[in-house]
Amino acid sequence: MKVGCSTYSYHRAFNDGRMNIDSFLDRMYDLGVEGVEILDRHIPSDKETLRRVKRKALKLGIEIAAVTISPSSEILSVYPLKLIKADPVKKIKKWIEIASFLGAPAMRVDVVRPEGEATLEDAIQLNIDVIKKVLPVAIEKGIAIGMENHSIFRSADLVLKVVRGVDSEWYGTVPDVGNFVLENKEKAYENMEKVAPYAIFCHAKTLKLGLGWDGLSSYWEEKIIDYRKVMEIFKRHGFNGYMSQEYEGREDEETAVPKGHEFLTRLIRQMP
C-alpha cells in the first residue's frame, strides 16, 4: 500500500485562501507524499492551470493518483468558492476528461441526490443510471470510478447496492474508514470487510492524533480508528493501492497532516 493525501486535508486553508493547488503540491513534496487526490473545488479547471499542475507534479515526483468531484455542482471559482447547479452526467464526463489529462487512474464521484420527494430506492437507481451513462467514457480513458460511504449512502450495504447495480470492474468503492467508525463503531470493521474487495482507493481519515510509545521512543498514532485492523482487512482482500489521508480533526492542519502522514507511513512499513 501507498500513503497519499487528499486536498481535503487542508480544506480550511483552501477555503480561506491560505493554500492553493500549487502550495499544496509544495507541501506534499516537503512531506514526502507519493500521490495526491485532488478535489474539483480545489483546482481551477482551465487548461492552462491543468497543464501547469501536471508539469509541476511531474517535476516534484508526485503522482496525481485520484480526482474527486461533486457531480451536482459546477465550480465557478475556487477562491472564493462559487458554485452553481450542474447536470451530473455532463459534469462527470467533463471531469473524466480532466482526470485523464492529469494522468489520474481513479476518480471518486460523490452521491447524486434526487430532486424533490424520493425514496432511498429512487436514489439508488438514480446513481446506478447516472454511472451507467458515463462509464463507457471512463472505460475508454482507462479511469476507474468509485463511490464513498458518504451522504445518504453511509452504510456498506447501500454503497454495494449501487456498485452491484452498475456491475462493472471499472466501478467500485472508495471506502472512508472514518465515516464507518463515526456512523456505527460497533459494525465499522464489518462494513469495511464488505466494501474492501471493491476498493479502487481508500480514504484514510485521521481525526485525533496523539503520541504512542515503544519503550523510550514515541510515535504518532490515530486514537479513534484502529488502523492496524483497517490495514489487515484491506490487505486480506488484496488491496495494495493508495490510502489517501483525509484529515478532519480539530487540530490545525499544518501540524496535524504531517503527523497523520508519519503515522500511516510507519504503519504500512511495519506490515508483514
Side-chain angles (χ1 to χ4, degrees):
M1 294 182 208
K2 296 181 179 181
V3 180
C5 186
S6 170
T7 57
Y8 189 80
S9 289
Y10 291 92
H11 65 277
R12 294 191 290 260
F14 274 98
N15 289 347
D16 63 22
R18 288 181 291 118
M19 179 172 280
N20 59 30
I21 189 61
D22 289 282
S23 58
F24 171 77
L25 289 175
D26 289 333
R27 194 66 46 81
M28 295 300 98
Y29 174 77
D30 291 341
L31 291 179
V33 175
E34 294 181 77
V36 296
E37 172 195 355
I38 300 176
L39 271 64
D40 58 351
R41 62 178 54 205
H42 294 152
I43 181 171
S45 60
D46 62 281
K47 278 289 187 181
E48 182 180 349
T49 299
L50 296 174
R51 279 194 294 267
R52 188 185 75 250
V53 168
K54 184 175 184 178
R55 184 65 184 90
K56 181 166 186 169
L58 176 65
K59 181 179 180 179
L60 296 177
I62 296 172
E63 180 183 3
I64 300 176
V67 168
T68 283
I69 70 165
S70 174
S72 301
S73 299
E74 190 63 58
I75 314 297
L76 295 182
S77 169
V78 170
Y79 179 75
L81 185 62
K82 294 180 181 178
L83 313 173
I84 59 171
K85 185 179 176 181
D87 175 88
V89 171
K90 291 181 180 178
K91 169 74 181 282
I92 298 168
K93 286 182 176 180
K94 171 187 173 181
W95 276 84
I96 288 171
E97 296 292 337
I98 290 173
S100 177
F101 179 80
L102 291 173
M107 188 164 96
R108 175 199 159 202
V109 174
D110 205 352
V111 173
V112 180
R113 284 177 171 269
E115 295 183 353
E117 294 185 10
T119 66
L120 193 55
E121 290 302 319
D122 292 333
I124 291 168
Q125 191 58 51
L126 172 63
N127 280 268
I128 291 170
D129 293 343
V130 166
I131 294 300
K132 282 187 173 181
K133 288 176 182 177
V134 303
L135 201 57
V137 181
I139 294 172
E140 177 66 26
K141 298 293 183 180
I143 295 172
I145 298 177
M147 171 182 278
E148 184 186 75
N149 46 302
H150 173 76
S151 183
I152 56 176
F153 297 148
R154 296 185 71 87
S155 75
D157 292 336
L158 289 174
V159 170
L160 291 178
K161 281 188 177 183
V162 179
V163 171
R164 290 167 179 160
V166 174
D167 190 23
S168 170
E169 65 174 336
W170 291 92
Y171 186 67
T173 63
V174 179
D176 186 312
V177 300
N179 283 356
F180 279 134
V181 171
L182 294 174
E183 180 71 11
N184 188 335
K185 191 169 185 178
E186 289 183 359
K187 294 187 176 181
Y189 303 98
E190 176 186 332
N191 278 321
M192 291 178 212
E193 290 275 7
K194 291 179 179 179
V195 298
Y198 304 90
I200 61 171
F201 71 97
C202 294
H203 275 159
K205 195 184 294 297
T206 47
L207 299 165
K208 184 178 180 181
L209 293 145
L211 284 176
W213 294 88
D214 182 6
L216 297 177
S217 300
S218 63
Y219 54 89
W220 295 110
E221 64 179 6
E222 165 59 41
K223 295 295 187 178
I224 296 175
I225 303 165
D226 185 348
Y227 266 101
R228 286 172 179 78
K229 186 179 291 186
V230 170
M231 299 297 187
E232 289 171 0
I233 289 170
F234 284 93
K235 183 179 180 181
R236 183 163 61 251
H237 287 282
F239 177 79
N240 197 38
Y242 271 100
M243 302 296 291
S244 180
Q245 183 183 187
E246 190 182 64
Y247 175 65
E248 284 196 58
R250 295 181 179 179
E251 184 179 343
D252 187 273
E253 298 154 338
E254 293 291 341
T255 56
V257 176
K259 294 174 185 176
H261 179 71
E262 181 182 325
F263 160 66
L264 292 167
T265 300
R266 179 178 182 273
L267 198 59
I268 287 176
R269 286 175 179 167
Q270 290 178 337
M271 289 176 61

